[in-house]
Amino acid sequence: MRIGVPKEIKNHEYRVGLVPASVSELTARGHQVVVQRGAGAEIGIADRDYEAAGATLEDDVACLWQGAELIVKVKEPQSEERRLLRSAQVLFTYLHLAPDLAQTQDLLASGATCIAYETVTAPAGGLPLLTPMSEVAGRLAPQVGAHCLEKAQGGRGVLLGGVPGVAPAEVAILGGGVSGSHAAAIALGMGADVTVLDRSPEVLRRLNQQFGPRLRTLHSTRDAVAQAVARADLVIGAVLVPGAAAPRLVTRDMLKTMKPGAVVVDIAIDQGGCFETSRPTTHAAPTYVVDGIVHYCVANMPGAVARTSTFALNNATLPFVLALADKGWQAALKDDIHLRAGLNVHAGELVCEPVAQAHGLPWRPVASLFS
């Protein structure tokens, strides 16, 4: 199979779909990998490293897209990339279609087969291709939140961990899944006073066993969220409904009860965000202020630590890329129900119910493609 790896073009996105070690695995199996020249340069992966792994370098991105049977990326294709997609082509990347009608319509119009990292499942449960980036985003959230709390950044001028004789910042984390639990670990390590809210008793028990009395856990209700938000110096939104738009847990009225200069970090922004006042931002302009509250809503947070993120992502995606290349997408999805869960768009049809519901569009059950 001919596999294309384009350079990412989203704002300040330096991750790359395949690292040389992954390319070597593919070329050893007889596949041809074409990498856009300079694709890994910003994270210390030189073109010669790809050539040593057996890849062919391509300067012309249009030629790369045109010639590839399988495109492996990191972020959702931007508008100019979507124009290069064609039918009978397979796209394997993060898509996050539920909050993005324009992308959904373009992918449908392309006729391509589009498999989303974020909805691939695992035999034991969970989302194995989303997990590494959720871990990164969770660990980044207290770090960027602490920075935004600095007075020069528009924040309250509060040190997250405090100092002897001065209380630490209060951090509220909405959601105790992968991102939320990693955010809690870092925030506690920085010395903050941390509360995690979640609707699942099992999640709250797990967090209690993991962190003990250092971490406060609360069952998430509207009132509990409102009270936690009002107390917090930093609120981290880490809720996830797989494939669907994130629920808006914090209303603008709740936001108005927060301390002036408090900070919200919305990890859920890829799926639309969990604050009513959230809108996607970029690493070039990461924050904005609403009602005196600093909002950090960067839609590709892990891109800030692009080298770490790229290798972590490749560790998770490589087995699925190998399956798609070795078997072709039809056999690979037929053989693996968990990879099949990643299929969002095929031949002009939606096959992911949460995305269809988000946009009020018709959809076809994915199982019907393999019956």
Side-chain angles (χ1 to χ4, degrees):
M1 181 176 285
R2 186 179 172 95
I3 301 157
V5 184
K7 184 177 181 178
E8 298 292 326
I9 61 172
K10 192 179 177 83
N11 182 277
H12 282 274
E13 182 53 75
Y14 307 114
R15 289 173 288 180
V16 62
L18 294 175
V19 297
S22 299
V23 170
S24 181
E25 291 289 328
L26 288 159
T27 57
R29 296 173 183 234
H31 304 295
Q32 182 181 5
V33 182
V34 181
V35 178
Q36 186 177 354
R37 193 177 296 276
E42 295 289 346
I43 57 172
I45 302 176
D47 289 339
R48 63 178 178 274
D49 298 327
Y50 281 113
E51 289 181 307
T56 300
L57 298 178
E58 175 61 72
D59 291 294
D60 189 334
V61 66
C63 288
L64 184 150
W65 280 79
Q66 181 63 33
E69 299 165 85
L70 170 64
I71 294 284
V72 180
K73 279 177 45 60
V74 177
K75 288 304 292 177
E76 72 281 355
Q78 305 300 291
S79 58
E80 55 264 52
E81 294 175 310
R82 300 197 292 268
R83 290 193 289 269
L84 299 173
L85 267 176
R86 55 183 173 79
S87 61
Q89 198 167 44
V90 179
L91 174 66
F92 193 34
T93 188
Y94 288 115
L95 293 177
H96 299 292
L97 293 178
D100 193 343
L101 179 59
Q103 185 195 176
T104 303
Q105 291 172 328
D106 286 350
L107 296 186
L108 290 170
S110 75
T113 297
C114 305
I115 305 170
Y117 292 162
E118 71 271 11
T119 58
V120 173
T121 57
L127 303 168
L129 305 190
L130 186 61
T131 292
M133 298 302 95
S134 296
E135 292 169 342
V136 171
R139 287 173 173 260
L140 273 175
Q143 179 177 313
V144 299
H147 179 60
C148 292
L149 276 170
E150 295 172 10
K151 194 65 180 174
Q153 307 305 317
R156 299 192 67 227
V158 171
L159 183 64
L160 206 66
V163 293
V166 180
E170 291 200 37
V171 177
I173 301 172
L174 309 179
V178 175
S179 290
S181 60
H182 280 263
I186 298 303
L188 287 169
M190 295 174 77
D193 185 350
V194 184
T195 301
V196 176
L197 297 91
D198 199 284
R199 296 179 63 180
S200 167
E202 290 76 18
V203 167
L204 298 177
R205 290 190 188 98
R206 173 180 55 78
L207 290 170
N208 186 67
Q209 291 171 353
Q210 181 177 354
F211 296 109
R214 294 188 302 149
L215 178 69
R216 184 184 302 109
T217 57
L218 290 176
H219 181 73
S220 183
T221 64
R222 182 181 176 85
D223 286 346
V225 169
Q227 292 175 29
V229 165
R231 289 194 306 267
D233 299 288
L234 168 62
V235 182
I236 296 171
V239 295
L240 174 69
V241 179
R248 296 297 179 94
L249 298 184
V250 178
T251 66
R252 185 158 187 173
D253 286 341
M254 292 180 191
L255 196 79
K256 292 175 180 177
T257 69
M258 295 181 70
K259 307 164 187 174
V263 174
V264 300
V265 174
D266 198 344
I267 296 175
I269 193 64
D270 274 337
Q271 294 294 131
C274 59
F275 299 84
E276 185 181 352
T277 47
S278 289
R279 57 176 172 79
T281 62
T282 67
H283 289 293
T287 63
Y288 60 92
V289 178
V290 176
D291 295 335
I293 306 305
V294 180
H295 289 58
Y296 180 98
C297 302
V298 174
N300 58 330
M301 281 182 67
V305 286
R307 184 175 174 89
T308 296
S309 297
T310 292
F311 284 92
L313 181 60
N314 267 244
N315 291 343
T317 58
L318 179 59
F320 298 98
V321 175
L322 291 173
L324 289 167
D326 288 347
K327 301 178 181 181
W329 75 268
Q330 292 157 309
L333 268 61
K334 185 176 182 179
D335 291 348
D336 186 347
I337 190 173
H338 301 290
L339 179 57
R340 194 186 314 166
L343 186 62
N344 279 214
V345 175
H346 170 65
E349 292 184 299
L350 274 176
V351 291
C352 181
E353 184 177 7
V355 173
Q357 289 178 339
H359 299 306
L361 295 173
W363 68 288
R364 177 182 181 182
V366 66
S368 68
L369 297 176
F370 301 94
S371 59

